[in-house]
Amino acid sequence: MCKCIDSILAQTLEDFELLLVDDGSTDGSPRICDEYLSKDSRIRVFHKQNGGLSDARNYGLKQAKGIYSIFADPDDWVSPEGLDKLYAKAVETDADMVMCDIFHEDKYACHYTLQKPTALQHGIVLKDIFGKIGSFTVNKLIKTELYRKYNISYPKGIYGCEDQYTMAKLLLHDIKIEYVPVAFYHYMYNPNSLSRHYDEHTYEMDVHILQMFDELLKGTSAYNIAHKLKYDAIFLRAFWD
């Protein structure tokens, strides 16, 4: 967690606010957040009852004052340069969303993962997030007002595709999208975070997620590719266990 916070504070872009949302953590995270609060005036700290990933992100968005917002998870970290390039492109083009590449990293290696969409039209990017590029929000600088304008929030009660569902809801709208060929976010692969016992409840959740995406994307060009991806995932995860 400290590595993540320190790397954000070391950005070459200096004019930003850093919101630390303590989602009812039972470890030392609340104390660490409060310690950083006294170290840097750009930091704002919020303590709340545990509600999960989506609830924490929705809470942060409600508190955000910046024109643009981007997320980071405490196990990951960012290189000093990159956010400056996203913001410069956003200001230059008045983009609603600026995307970039990403690093996937584990204890053995660091891989540069290209995230350039097929084209920058919202409908094409919508299809791309179901296979060609990642749907995560950690490499996407997004106008904060869009969440409010289109009444978009991260879905609660599901596991593993909160970002994808949220991005799909956003990309249903004709927003201005830009891309910069740079990576600065280091996504740290942790096999333990992905471990999950497959049981009847897991299957029911997977079916529910499939239905959520079907309902959201019905009538769009992304429906078939998204449906197949989610349908196949139900069977693939059953064999993982």
Side-chain angles (χ1 to χ4, degrees):
M1 179 179 181
C2 290
K3 181 176 181 179
C4 179
I5 298 175
D6 289 338
S7 69
I8 294 172
L9 296 177
Q11 289 295 297
T12 53
L13 176 69
E14 297 181 348
D15 185 13
F16 63 85
E17 62 171 2
L18 173 57
L19 276 60
L20 303 179
V21 180
D22 162 34
D23 187 43
S25 301
T26 57
D27 56 13
S29 297
R31 174 185 55 79
I32 294 174
C33 288
D34 289 339
E35 289 177 352
Y36 272 98
L37 180 62
S38 62
K39 295 179 180 180
D40 197 303
S41 61
R42 296 174 294 180
I43 293 177
R44 299 166 63 202
V45 173
F46 302 91
H47 300 284
K48 58 181 288 295
Q49 292 185 337
N50 179 260
L53 172 65
S54 290
D55 193 59
R57 289 190 172 184
N58 291 335
Y59 186 92
L61 285 170
K62 289 180 180 179
Q63 307 300 327
K65 297 179 180 178
I67 297 175
Y68 290 90
S69 59
I70 192 168
F71 289 96
D73 294 327
D75 294 336
D76 304 331
W77 64 285
V78 291
S79 300
E81 296 183 354
L83 183 59
D84 52 356
K85 294 179 175 61
L86 267 72
Y87 182 67
K89 174 64 75 171
V91 172
E92 174 192 348
T93 63
D94 192 29
D96 294 311
M97 176 194 295
V98 183
M99 309 167 59
C100 69
D101 302 328
I102 195 169
F103 291 108
H104 282 90
E105 189 170 346
D106 58 25
K107 63 180 179 180
Y108 303 107
C110 178
H111 302 282
Y112 189 106
T113 307
L114 191 68
Q115 293 292 292
K116 184 178 181 179
T118 304
L120 296 176
Q121 289 81 12
H122 71 103
I124 295 177
V125 178
L126 176 61
K127 289 192 292 184
D128 280 357
I129 66 170
F130 294 100
K132 178 179 171 60
I133 61 174
S135 56
F136 23 74
T137 51
V138 295
N139 72 325
K140 298 176 179 66
L141 190 70
I142 300 170
K143 276 188 177 177
T144 308
E145 68 172 14
L146 295 184
Y147 292 98
R148 300 156 188 165
K149 178 179 179 179
Y150 298 122
N151 193 28
I152 294 174
S153 61
Y154 285 79
K156 301 178 183 179
I158 64 172
Y159 176 92
C161 59
E162 299 92 340
D163 280 12
Q164 190 174 52
Y165 188 80
T166 305
M167 286 300 94
K169 289 186 70 175
L170 180 58
L171 290 166
L172 286 174
H173 303 279
D174 187 12
I175 62 174
K176 181 175 176 55
I177 303 169
E178 293 289 343
Y179 163 80
V180 291
V182 62
F184 79 108
Y185 192 93
H186 294 253
Y187 176 84
M188 303 301 297
Y189 174 72
N190 179 3
N192 295 326
S193 67
L194 299 177
S195 61
R196 186 178 176 211
H197 178 66
Y198 197 91
D199 53 20
E200 183 177 352
H201 175 70
T202 309
Y203 170 76
E204 291 174 351
M205 180 181 292
D206 284 348
V207 172
H208 173 62
I209 290 172
L210 171 64
Q211 293 171 342
M212 285 176 59
F213 278 92
D214 279 355
E215 181 179 349
L216 177 68
L217 300 174
K218 186 176 181 180
T220 72
S221 60
Y223 176 87
N224 288 336
I225 187 172
H227 177 84
K228 185 179 187 306
L229 183 71
K230 296 303 176 185
Y231 186 84
D232 291 348
I234 294 176
F235 297 95
L236 289 173
R237 283 223 294 220
F239 287 106
W240 275 354
D241 190 45

